[in-house]
Amino acid sequence: ADVKSIAILTPEEGTDYGWNQQGVDAAKAAAAATGVEVVVAQGLGYGDVRPTLRELAEEGASLLIAHASGYNTSAPEIANELKVPVAIVDTPSALKKGLVADYTLSGHEGAYLAGRLAAKMTRSKAVGIVVSGEPPSWNSQSAGFAQGVKAENPDVKVTYAVIGPAAYSDAAGGKRVTESVIASGADIIFGQGNGSSFGMLQAVETTKAADGGKVYFIDVIGDKTPIDKGFLLSSVVWNITPVYTAMINDLKADTFGTKSYSIGLKDDSVKLLKTAAIPDNVWTEVQALREDVISGKIKVEPVFEATAVRALMTNVSE
Amino acid sequence: MSAETQAMSATALDTSNGTPARRDIQRRIIMTLGPILAALIIAGCILLAVGVNPLTYYGFVLERGLLSPLGVQQTLTRMAPLLFLAAGLIVAFRAGMWNLGGDGQFLLGAVTAAASGPLLVQVLPAWLALFCAFLLATAIAMLWSLVPALLRAYQGVNEIITTLMMTFLGTSLANVLVKLVFLDPSTTVPQTRTLPVEDRLPRLFDTTITSGLLLGLAAILIVHFVMTRTAFGLKLQIVGANPRAAVHAGLGVPKLTIAVFAISAGLAGLAGAVDIIGVQGNVRADWNPAYAMAVIPVVFLARMNGIAAIGFVFMLSVLSIGGESAARRLGVPHHFTLVLVSIVLIMLALAEYIDHRYNQSRKA
Amino acid sequence: MTGLFSEVFLGALLFGAVTAAIPLLLAGLGEQMSEKAGVLNIGIEGMMIFGAYLGFVGAFYSGSLWLGFLTGALGGMVVALLMALLCVRLGLNQIVIGIGLTLGLEGLTALLHHFQFSRSYPRLPAADRTVIPFLADIPILGPALFRQHLIVYMAIALVFVMGYIYRRTQLGLNLQAAGDKPAALDVAGIDVVRTRTIAVLTTGALAGLGGAYLANVGAGIFIPFITNGAGFLGIVLAMLARGRPVWVLFGALLFGVCLSLTTAMQVAGINIPTDVIQMLPFLAVMIMLVLFGRRASLPAALGIPYERGAR
Amino acid sequence: MTNVSISPAATPDIVVLDRVTKRFPGIVANDSVDLAIRPGEVHVLLGENGAGKSTLIGMLSGLQQPDEGRILVDGTPTPITSPRHALSLGIGTVFQHMMLVPTLTVAENLLLGGSWWQRPKTEELEARVTEISRTLGITINLHARISELSLGEQQQVEILRALVRNSRLLILDESTSMLTPKGIDELGALMRRLVEQGLAIVFITHKLKEAAAFGDRISVLKLGRKVGEIPPERFRALGEDEIISEIVELMFGKRKDDPEAEEKAPRVLPASAAPLLEVRDIEVPATANTPGLSAISFDIRPGELLGIAGIDGNGQKQLAEALAGQLPTSGGTIALEGKRLDGLSVGERRESGLRYLTDDRLGEGTVGSFPVSINFFLKQVGAAPFWRSGIEQRAEIDKRAGELVREYDVRTPSLKTPVGRLSGGNIQKVLLARELAEGAKAVIFNKPTYGLDLANTLATRQRIREIAARGLAVLLISTDLEELLSMCDRIAVISSGRLVGTVENTGDARTRVGRLMIGLAA
Ligand SMILES: Nc1ncnc2c1ncn2[C@@H]1O[C@H](COP(=O)(O)OP(=O)(O)OP(=O)(O)O)[C@@H](O)[C@H]1O
Ligand SMILES: Nc1ncnc2c1ncn2[C@@H]1O[C@H](COP(=O)(O)OP(=O)(O)OP(=O)(O)O)[C@@H](O)[C@H]1O
Ligand SMILES: [Mg+2]
Ligand SMILES: [Mg+2]
């Protein structure tokens, strides 16, 4: 089919060095690569996006990318109603030829590597995970990270803390909880959150580890290097461009909606960010692990349920 | 008595129900449009300050919210839950009780409807299933309002704090219910089961307008009718306008208080249900559109008149649908809509004050 | 339990509880002053968010946290001035104007943040802590309570200052009279409108300071909607405290401790659903309301505009 | 009581009111009033309820500004713009309605008014209070909370407050209404000592004995106009009884142009008729601000008009509300036509035929923002034929309301006019129409002509007579003695919540009721 323009819808502004920004940037890159127009509708919130979906469809978008798990009920409905192809996240069961495609983005493999990296680098033998909520895509990374840590060194403690329900904008909560986790001994924080992740970063930057040294931060999805002050150890960076490019190509080839797209270590759509803070020998070891994951020598199963995630953490009463 | 003094009811509840004099209507229109214009100018200055042409912005708002066929359908669809909420608030405010807990009641109604709807449609005829879901949502929201109602009726505890707290609590509870109790097992996304599109409230004709709009209109018209034309409504209004007169006239104020909370919360619960059963199909974790907070000022501006509230809810919907679109097209965050609504509100309140003062000086 | 529950960790939890409590404390103290004077200040959330924004702007551009606190307080006062004009002087409905101001300022600060900071997300350096000699060495309590930023001690001292003002000063008498019997204050020769205006402006300053603390010390960054209902919690705390500043402190600390408790449970690996734990603080407040919310705890003239000689 | 004040002619007036007029919507509260207030003199202001005394005080204390006329302070025209200004001019007022903050202590109340940045000067205050107390013989616990004090003690606090402020002019608006006889005597002695120290005092009271005992000069207000003055020279020349009779003449004196003054046609009641309304031993506990009722008992026969006389605030309102069911009683019985009413709700009592016409027309009698038509039926909401199945029958309501408007001559622009916009007299007609409509058997009137002008007053009284003539039992509560004398068959006098005596309205009833009212035996 003829693809003239695509549209991407994100819940928050595409300036968050995270989920929204990666989506918007990827849509722009994929559009540029395939020579189509792109319309960006950002900051739509977590409410009802049907009006915007309809409006974009009316404006002639050939593909609507609904880049939030909260949009995966409304977008397929609009696809059926207006016969316009949509792409949604986290819902592989919703595939429909020509209309609905799914891309389930799970960085669990990358998070696993991040866990290995953290376990290698922690001085205190304790790391922490701080999240501002428990959506499936974050759960799988929390789990992947914990699995990586345990695989590298079962003696490293992993603590886990959720800031609070709907605490996406609770930067103060992010900082407070992260400080507590650092105080519990962690010197590496694996943080996931939108606005609140800046609070976590702030905590890492302003709190000393138990040994008086630096606490490092491992980010997810985006690349916060431009705003880093030397505390960013790494990030599980997602590159969604290949996914969107494939979608556009499938749309052109009339094979849209026949498969789920995903990201992984193999094509570097999930990769660990190399920063100056990672010693070269450690990085080499991690790269070797990456090969093992790709080759299937190491299997990392995604875990999506919050309860299962929490079960993976170090239980202090043991 | 001259026509000028007649119009002074600007501040009082307009219960005279009569056909107001033409001059009166004219004045009302001027006193409504004037402040809105002033608000648009002030908000326009903010837009200018951030480098956006206000005329383009307002143009887009109007075009999407009001003039484009698809846009206006969205506007009308958005009105449905807002109308229910407005209806509930009218009952409470007219009876002199500040129910600020609408958002908690709304969410619990929504979750109840989302939990029961998809299950009920499997065993009952669709219409009956939806009806039962509506009933359940109403009942749960009513139950939720019982704590503030009893505290206010028998202990005299200020309902502002209790309803505020119950809204915090209700929001959390709704979340817990979605994530732990009514979770859809077939998806990893924390949300309730989804009511299939074909089982939802039918759409009107060939449009995308939900028939929830008609229910909402019916609700607010019924509330308007009940409040202005029935014995029950009159009793509530007496309690609201002059509680001592209510005692003097022998009305059972505590029971009426509980009734008011139940109706108000029930309508808020219905608002949640109609949004779920009409449009959304399910409730996702952490979903809270916070409609009730936005509707409170609107109801006040409409002077708690159901008919006028329809107009103001329409205006709010136009601003919200059109504002989202204009913001997207101009690269302004859609939060600007909040700013616009707030300035409009303050201007209208000021205009009312000026009008009132002017009348008083005329009278003296 | 061993391991994780080290002194350092417990200290940090308590430290976090105090940090979370300070904005609530300031908001609650502010609201308490308005309520004492007979004004139900629903706009406090708007005052906080604007204080948070301006406080951050001030601290970021000047590099001085103290200047940030000053601009934050001023920001809150600007909103309070509007509230005082509309609700105290003109007698417009306090609830409606309060909600209106809150909505508008949430939107406005989000807007300003978008154009100003949404690319750079500037963060402030760590706030200096003032270590109180000897006390700071007490296990657990020391690091939590006596190694805080100076403003924390000031906020806590403010509780006693407020108590002193209410009980021992002319202003305190005036405020209480303005809320309980404005006509009596008027015939005693004190302008009720002016007294209430002072109260509302003070509320604005305290709420703004609370917002600034939240952004500058609590988070080290401003992001939209950062106050997250703290102002509304302040209203509830003030109403529950029945005019006594110390109770606002207890309430705020209780709330902070509840928050830290949820973190502690999670870090301890206790597998209770987070969302259930998170209801704890609200539930605690609601139970207090049911138990202690009786009538007569609010000033007689709360929410009623004063007009001289009106019968 | 000796009268040794300095010769008034020698001292200049502190405050002079010069043709002062004050209007409120619908009423001229003060009509061109002249008044001179001198140091060393207790100037007594007398007048019926609503005569305009408090309004006059309001203007002196800066709460209100005159519409016409001027106020001279020390001979210079001085607009008194605010209470603060009045205080700075040395005018201290004890208002009719308690003006203390109940949640503060005595000391705190006395300190109220200092600059806000200052610390309360407690020590200074204590010294002042000790000094004043010593010279004046007041004892008051400075640290007691106002809400814990009796009303009499609160009055003393207010007086103390005016004195602490170094007032040159002390105004006491009905300060004795809540005092015990002993307290009243003490206040009188206090006033005497104060004027001896050179203060000027304006003293408002309803008790003529007090006026005669404590005053140096008396001015009488009536319907906003000053109708007479007894200067000190004359005052000293007369004995107490003569003064009282002169005041009575000024206040209640026979009005030649007043048709009311006609002798009441003696009515013949069937002596054997059984009582229609029987009230036995009604008890109501007192609260912080209101007196209670103790052992109130009376009977009213069909067609009989029983009056309740007394100074305002002695339990009249509590009595009416207890009968109507608005105020819970702690004992006693009420029976109408032999049917027990106590225990029934307000609505049920009304159903049974007991009607209550409140004195608080706007506060509880009507909903001011509602139209006239609805206000007629405020106590019948939901009843047929005006509501059917709960739905308002506008045609029925308007039809009946129209009839009532005509029948009761309610002057309203339309049935839809909010009732609050009508004049007081017309609002009263709406209430009358409402209470006297179908099914009334016994009616309680609480100050039915309060605030009404002459024509409306006469019309209302006529209505009341008519319904009594129809065989209803009527309880007429009024503070207007003239009204009771002209209408009632018997008059009971209420004082401090109990009935102190009942007088048949014949011959010398005026004197006997008057004596009961001022605390003497009939
Ligand atoms: N607040 C008001 N708004 C509009 N009209 C009013 C208002 N107050 C009074 N009026 C009108 O002004 C006119 C005069 O009212 P006023 O109260 O002076 O009557 P009045 O002479 O005292 O009569 P009455 O003897 O019945 O008390 C009436 O027609 C009344 O309806
Ligand atoms: N603020 C006001 N607004 C409207 N009417 C008023 C106001 N103040 C007084 N009036 C009216 O003015 C008249 C005079 O009232 P005022 O209080 O001066 O009487 P008074 O002589 O002190 O009576 P009392 O003996 O009952 O105290 C009354 O009819 C009253 O209703
Ligand atoms: Mg008076
Ligand atoms: Mg009148």
Side-chain angles (χ1 to χ4, degrees), chain C residues 2 13 16 33 41 57 59 76 83 98 105 107-108 119 141 160 172 176 189 221 226 228 242 250-251 253 255 276:
Chain C
T2 55
L13 280 182
M33 181 170 263
N41 199 334
V57 167
M83 174 108 192
L105 286 155
L108 186 67
R119 282 267 139 216
L141 290 183
F160 301 98
Q176 182 155 351
I221 188 168
I226 190 172
N228 231 330
R242 302 191 190 189
F250 287 159
L253 282 177
F255 202 87
V276 176

Side-chain angles (χ1 to χ4, degrees), chain C residues 55-294:
Chain C
F56 179 76
V57 167
F60 176 63
Y61 288 114
S62 73
S64 152
L65 219 47
W66 288 104
L67 219 77
F69 291 138
L70 185 72
T71 50
L74 285 177
M77 280 176 91
V78 169
V79 185
L81 191 68
L82 258 177
M83 174 108 192
L85 262 176
L86 295 173
C87 298
V88 177
R89 208 156 276 276
L90 304 188
L92 301 186
N93 186 307
Q94 295 169 5
I95 292 173
V96 172
I97 294 296
I99 291 178
L101 285 176
T102 296
L103 290 181
L105 286 155
E106 282 180 347
L108 186 67
T109 49
L111 198 71
L112 292 171
H113 172 269
H114 175 78
F115 287 104
Q116 220 173 342
F117 298 132
S118 74
R119 282 267 139 216
S120 53
Y121 290 97
R123 300 179 297 288
L124 299 176
D128 320 318
R129 297 187 182 183
T130 305
V131 177
I132 297 184
F134 308 118
L135 290 178
D137 299 329
I138 305 173
I140 300 175
L141 290 183
L145 303 180
F146 305 111
R147 289 172 193 265
Q148 292 275 10
H149 190 267
L150 191 54
I151 197 90
V152 172
Y153 308 123
M154 291 169 72
I156 291 171
L158 196 62
V159 171
F160 301 98
V161 172
M162 286 293 185
Y164 180 82
I165 289 178
Y166 294 147
R167 223 143 344 121
R168 295 258 183 277
T169 70
Q170 203 62 54
L171 179 63
L173 299 182
N174 294 355
L175 288 171
Q176 182 155 351
D180 279 331
K181 185 124 187 173
L185 183 64
D186 195 13
V187 301
I190 302 289
D191 193 325
V192 174
V193 168
R194 189 176 305 160
T195 307
R196 288 182 168 180
T197 303
I198 290 172
V200 171
L201 288 180
T202 311
T203 306
L206 290 179
L209 186 62
Y213 178 86
L214 186 74
N216 293 350
V217 181
I221 188 168
F222 177 83
I223 61 170
F225 303 97
I226 190 172
T227 49
N228 231 330
F232 289 111
L233 282 174
I235 296 175
V236 174
L237 285 182
M239 284 191 166
L240 273 173
R242 302 191 190 189
R244 273 168 310 210
V246 179
W247 283 103
V248 179
L249 178 63
F250 287 159
L253 282 177
L254 182 74
F255 202 87
V257 167
C258 279
L259 282 178
S260 280
L261 221 57
T262 64
T263 310
M265 286 165 134
Q266 294 169 3
V267 172
I270 299 170
N271 201 352
I272 304 176
T274 327
D275 301 274
V276 176
I277 304 179
Q278 305 277 4
M279 285 172 72
L280 204 86
F282 300 124
L283 213 57
V285 172
M286 200 61 217
I287 290 171
M288 291 214 285
L289 265 177
V290 173
L291 293 180
F292 308 115
R294 302 292 141 89

Side-chain angles (χ1 to χ4, degrees), chain C residues 19-71:
Chain C
T19 310
I22 295 299
L24 294 181
L25 169 68
L26 288 169
L29 286 180
E31 181 69 27
Q32 186 167 49
M33 181 170 263
S34 277
E35 284 178 14
K36 225 177 198 29
V39 181
L40 184 61
N41 199 334
I42 297 269
I44 191 166
E45 178 84 9
M47 297 171 196
M48 275 192 100
I49 190 93
F50 200 54
Y53 170 77
L54 272 195
F56 179 76
V57 167
F60 176 63
Y61 288 114
S62 73
S64 152
L65 219 47
W66 288 104
L67 219 77
F69 291 138
L70 185 72
T71 50

Side-chain angles (χ1 to χ4, degrees), chain A residues 212-244:
Chain A
K214 255 189 191 180
V215 179
Y216 280 106
F217 188 67
I218 301 179
D219 191 29
V220 294
I221 303 177
D223 178 2
K224 289 194 173 68
T225 311
I227 58 166
D228 177 36
K229 295 181 181 172
F231 293 83
L232 192 66
L233 180 64
S234 183
S235 176
V236 181
V237 178
W238 299 4
N239 181 4
I240 319 175
T241 314
V243 170
Y244 292 163

Side-chain angles (χ1 to χ4, degrees), chain B residues 73-215:
Chain B
Q73 291 174 20
Q74 300 299 308
T75 300
L76 294 173
T77 298
R78 175 67 51 92
M79 283 176 72
L82 302 184
L83 286 173
F84 274 105
L85 281 168
L89 292 176
I90 286 174
V91 174
F93 293 174
R94 281 212 175 203
M97 279 160 233
W98 290 99
N99 176 12
L100 302 189
D103 282 322
Q105 296 149 6
F106 174 93
L107 281 178
L108 286 174
V111 169
T112 311
S116 57
L119 295 181
L120 289 171
V121 283
Q122 291 169 18
V123 293
L124 295 176
W127 66 270
L128 188 60
L130 297 192
F131 183 72
C132 289
F134 275 127
L135 275 188
L136 277 171
T138 315
I140 294 293
M142 282 180 167
L143 221 59
W144 189 247
S145 77
L146 209 57
V147 177
L150 291 175
L151 284 175
R152 153 94 196 220
Y154 295 105
Q155 300 276 332
V157 179
N158 185 302
E159 74 279 9
I160 293 174
I161 32 172
T162 49
T163 54
L164 265 179
M165 270 334 285
M166 291 300 278
T167 240
F168 278 117
L169 211 54
T171 313
S172 299
L173 182 63
N175 243 331
V176 168
L177 290 176
V178 169
K179 288 187 188 169
L180 302 179
V181 186
F182 302 122
L183 193 70
D184 180 357
S186 69
T187 162
T188 57
V189 181
Q191 61 185 28
T192 63
R193 286 188 176 77
T194 305
L195 186 68
V197 179
E198 54 278 10
D199 288 330
R200 293 189 203 155
L201 291 176
R203 294 186 178 163
L204 294 177
F205 316 110
D206 275 341
T207 68
T208 61
I209 305 170
T210 170
S211 50
L213 173 69
L214 296 188
L215 297 180

